[in-house]
Amino acid sequence: MTVSTARRVRRTLLGLLIGCATLPVVTAGAQQAHAAPGACGAATPAALGAFFDSRMPERLRESKVPGAAVSVAAGGTTAFAKGYGVADLERGVPFDASRSLARIASISKLFTWTAVMQQVEAGRLDLDADVNQYLTEFKVPATYRQAITLRHLMSHTAGFEDVGVGIGARDAADVSPLDRYLAEHMPARIRPPGVISAYSNYGAALAGHLVAKVSGEPYDRYVKRHVLDPLGMAHSTAAEPVPPGLAGVLARSYDTEYDPPKVYPFTFDRMPPDGSVTATATDMANFMNAHLHEGRFGDRRILSPETTARMHQRSFSADPRLDGYAHGFKERTVNGHRVLMHDGGWEGFRSILMLVPACDLGLFVTTNSPGGGTEGMQNLIDQFFDTFAPGDGTVTRTGPAAGATAGTARSAAPQAGFYKPTRHNASSIEKVTTLLGPARLTVDRSGTVHFRGKSWRPQGDGLYRADDGDRLVFLAGPDATRYVATDTSAAELMPPAETLPVNLAALLALLLPTLGLLVTPFAGLVRRIRRRPARASGTWRLARGLAAGAAVLAVAFLVGLAVTLFGDTGEFLYHVPLSFTLLLAVPVLAFAVALAATALTVRAWRGAGAGLVARIHQVTLLAGLTAVAWFLWQWNLLGWQFP
């Protein structure tokens, strides 16, 4: 079995850059994303059945996905729920919407945010209070003057860096109590709170911990008693492992790029409030109906009408004209309709939940494999909205949503350059992964912005729009950091030292003179053939040998680093592999040798007896080693800087 290069790169991003904690399953935007809303379609059981039965089987085949389940909430009921394909290939178990449990990953955060709002309603939590007010075992450090609040956590604007290494565990014994894990693995604060959104699993876990503290109940037990049980979600759980009564119907997930497909193992989440919920599609319809109907499900409710309305109000946007967050829900505009949504991916499961309050409509889809990509499912979502929540085809300029709270970044002039996601790591070895996916932004003479495969045309007043309706703005933070924000994501301008061209130049500064070492044996051979005596001093020859050895060690490390980054990085989800720990010893040795070579070169320079070419090569070799030392220092690869 072989894995394609594309798959290896994807694994790098999953296992190291974003830690397999959440993936964009689909974008919540069809063509004409911001068209004026049309009348809501008739989401009847018959219409929904005809829609999915005619499309889902084909989508599964095209995407190489074994199975899926879908549920639709409409009119206060489960209008449609059905499984497609198989939940267990080995046993041939069909996917059942009411029985097959799927790991919904980061959609679990909606349960955490609902729990937060319950405690706000009860008066035990305040959305705008310093979270340190509730913490006793540990405190969030005062890196910035502004305190972090629950509102920041819910809008992913707390300013934490991203950490993906070590967030998963193979068995329960490796999962620490949540408070201890949060205290020992707190990510660095890399920007003041409230500036820009940068998705944070840690922030959601911290919020779940606060719920547990003020309620006196462990997170999984709290969710069961106060959310799952009132909603009749008897086939769902926030516990890991899945309780014995439900474990037998847990769907299995697969990597279908292997033949036969490879089963993903059950992976424990070390921060359960960010992604531990396992649920059936039918149960998820109950959750959607509760949020569509003022927190009520049947004769029970999980939130008051006032709290539900407050939760669904926009809580943050980088700019009032862009989509943002609504107290944990991602806010999107599709066909002119305001959509509250969340997606998630874990263990190969890919899921999405979308609510269209104006149409009293909710959609949940889950698949048990990433398959060949998201294009097929994206098309299915687009067609669903075109059928049941259509637009009238005219693009409109929407204004700020109710309750809009803009970030502290302010409008700025366009700036070309390389941009990295605001969600990135800055303090550990994970920082190097930002080199794998920078996006170049250019501005042409007409003022059109070219970014991430789209052309964004100026609309006036600093707003840009792409052909599909997505909007873009340029921003400057309080510390003058430059950002570009769109309806779906935000990115930060990289300083020149972090850009790919500069770093490639640093690497070439060593690689080219190291290749020159290949000429050295031939030069010695020519000298011997011509019977010319060696004139270089012993100290100079030692300096040359040490510099050559250091260069070879440094290049060997770079090769090992490339093999690691573009290979299977799945082990990083659990811990830093021993092989990588040992690999990090190579540059330490290389630069210790390089320092010795530098000292001997200075000492032997005057009486070296070396020719001009040899002297120039020695200097360029040591300069190249210095450049690579800077490269490794910048990306936290000198020493063992683990998260």
Side-chain angles (χ1 to χ4, degrees):
M1 287 181 297
T2 61
V3 182
S4 68
T5 301
R7 177 60 173 166
R8 286 173 178 163
V9 173
R10 230 174 11 250
R11 285 187 173 186
T12 298
L13 297 178
L14 299 185
L16 193 55
L17 177 58
I18 54 179
C20 299
T22 183
L23 300 173
V25 181
V26 295
T27 60
Q31 290 293 323
Q32 301 285 329
H34 302 288
C40 301
T44 63
L48 291 164
F51 176 86
F52 286 106
D53 287 349
S54 65
R55 292 170 174 82
M56 184 65 84
E58 181 182 358
R59 294 290 182 266
L60 296 182
R61 286 193 299 270
E62 290 176 349
S63 302
K64 297 196 301 182
V65 172
V70 59
S71 63
V72 177
T77 66
T78 301
F80 180 78
K82 188 172 180 178
Y84 296 87
V86 293
D88 189 322
L89 285 171
E90 291 74 21
R91 294 186 295 161
V93 178
F95 222 121
D96 188 312
S98 61
R99 285 180 52 80
S100 302
L101 276 72
R103 306 205 67 191
I104 66 171
S106 285
I107 297 177
S108 304
K109 291 180 176 68
L110 296 182
F111 291 81
T112 299
W113 306 134
T114 299
V116 166
M117 295 306 291
Q118 287 177 333
Q119 292 305 306
V120 169
E121 184 177 306
R124 299 188 185 97
L125 290 176
D126 183 335
L127 290 180
D128 297 307
D130 184 345
V131 295
N132 280 334
Q133 173 181 319
Y134 306 104
L135 295 172
T136 55
E137 302 91 344
F138 62 95
K139 298 289 184 181
V140 176
T143 309
Y144 300 97
R145 179 178 56 83
Q146 303 93 324
I148 292 175
T149 68
L150 272 165
R151 192 182 301 276
H152 293 136
L153 299 181
M154 298 179 84
S155 59
H156 298 276
T157 60
F160 289 121
E161 69 176 344
D162 190 49
V163 176
V165 172
I167 64 172
R170 288 191 169 90
D171 55 63
D174 291 333
V175 179
S176 304
L178 181 59
D179 57 349
R180 185 194 309 168
Y181 185 88
L182 294 175
E184 295 176 353
H185 297 86
M186 184 176 295
R189 297 179 64 183
I190 59 174
R191 67 176 62 90
V195 176
I196 199 82
S197 61
Y199 193 85
S200 174
N201 290 308
Y202 183 91
L206 181 59
H209 172 61
L210 296 183
V211 169
K213 278 193 67 66
V214 299
S215 68
E217 298 180 72
Y219 173 78
D220 59 340
R221 196 176 306 163
Y222 179 94
V223 170
K224 175 176 170 53
R225 286 192 58 204
H226 300 280
V227 184
L228 302 181
D229 287 349
L231 296 180
M233 299 178 67
H235 291 85
S236 301
T237 181
E240 293 180 333
V242 173
L246 299 175
V249 288
L250 177 63
R252 307 187 81 179
S253 54
Y254 299 89
D255 184 343
T256 55
E257 292 200 16
Y258 288 89
D259 187 17
K262 183 178 179 180
V263 178
Y264 283 97
F266 187 94
T267 302
F268 290 80
D269 189 340
R270 295 183 192 268
M271 299 185 291
D274 85 328
S276 67
V277 173
T278 305
T280 64
T282 302
D283 278 2
M284 291 303 295
N286 297 357
F287 182 77
M288 292 190 291
N289 269 315
H291 271 281
L292 288 168
H293 287 265
E294 300 182 320
R296 178 178 54 81
F297 179 74
D299 60 354
R300 309 186 73 175
R301 70 168 53 252
I302 55 172
L303 294 170
S304 70
E306 296 77 17
T307 303
T308 306
R310 183 183 184 188
M311 184 174 181
H312 293 176
Q313 282 186 339
R314 175 181 290 187
S315 55
F316 175 85
S317 64
D319 181 281
R321 297 165 294 182
L322 301 182
D323 291 335
Y325 277 94
H327 296 89
F329 281 98
K330 298 177 182 179
E331 182 188 49
R332 298 292 181 264
T333 306
V334 184
N335 289 347
H337 296 279
R338 183 171 184 252
V339 175
L340 302 176
M341 63 159 290
H342 213 295
D343 55 357
W346 186 255
E347 289 180 7
F349 286 101
R350 300 291 182 263
S351 306
I352 188 166
L353 179 150
M354 306 178 77
L355 303 179
V356 191
C359 291
D360 192 8
L361 182 68
L363 171 67
F364 172 78
V365 180
T366 185
T367 64
N368 62 350
S369 174
T374 63
E375 184 177 353
M377 288 302 162
Q378 176 67 67
N379 290 338
L380 181 72
I381 300 285
D382 291 347
Q383 292 169 7
F384 177 86
F385 272 85
D386 289 343
T387 303
F388 299 104
D392 69 4
T394 61
V395 177
T396 61
R397 178 172 177 170
T398 57
T405 302
T408 56
R410 293 293 174 253
S411 181
Q415 184 163 343
F418 288 90
Y419 285 77
K420 60 186 175 183
T422 52
R423 181 186 182 186
H424 64 267
N425 184 276
S427 69
S428 76
I429 56 171
E430 291 185 66
K431 182 181 178 183
V432 73
T433 58
T434 60
L435 270 176
L436 298 176
R440 187 178 184 184
L441 185 149
T442 61
V443 184
D444 65 24
R445 291 183 178 179
S446 70
T448 299
V449 172
H450 302 278
F451 183 59
R452 289 180 175 164
K454 295 182 181 181
S455 295
W456 312 74
R457 293 173 176 80
Q459 305 296 303
D461 198 23
L463 180 68
Y464 296 77
R465 192 187 298 275
D467 290 340
D468 62 3
D470 283 351
R471 297 160 295 192
L472 175 150
V473 297
F474 290 91
L475 302 166
D479 60 354
T481 300
R482 300 298 293 270
Y483 301 97
V484 59
T486 71
D487 282 312
T488 57
S489 62
E492 177 181 327
L493 182 66
M494 301 174 75
E498 289 187 3
T499 60
L500 197 57
V502 171
N503 283 271
L504 286 177
L507 298 181
L508 287 173
L510 175 66
L511 292 176
L512 294 178
T514 301
L515 289 174
L517 291 172
L518 298 175
V519 180
T520 303
F522 294 102
L525 179 61
V526 170
R527 179 176 51 78
R528 291 187 182 90
I529 291 174
R530 294 182 177 182
R531 296 182 179 180
R532 293 180 179 178
R535 292 180 297 175
S537 67
T539 303
W540 175 260
R541 289 198 299 271
L542 179 58
R544 290 281 283 159
L546 288 176
V552 170
L553 283 173
V555 170
F557 171 78
L558 294 174
V559 171
L561 178 65
V563 169
T564 300
L565 291 178
F566 292 98
D568 187 348
T569 59
E571 194 66 20
F572 283 88
L573 179 63
Y574 307 105
H575 58 85
V576 178
L578 177 61
S579 59
F580 193 74
T581 301
L582 296 175
L583 181 65
L584 289 174
V586 175
V588 174
L589 176 60
F591 295 122
V593 173
L595 285 174
T598 302
L600 289 173
T601 298
V602 172
R603 178 180 174 185
W605 187 261
R606 289 190 175 182
L612 178 63
V613 173
R615 290 174 183 270
I616 292 174
H617 184 258
Q618 181 74 347
V619 170
T620 57
L621 201 60
L622 293 175
L625 284 164
T626 302
V628 170
W630 168 83
F631 171 87
L632 298 182
W633 168 80
Q634 172 168 255
W635 300 109
N636 301 327
L637 295 170
L638 272 182
W640 292 265
Q641 300 183 55
F642 299 152

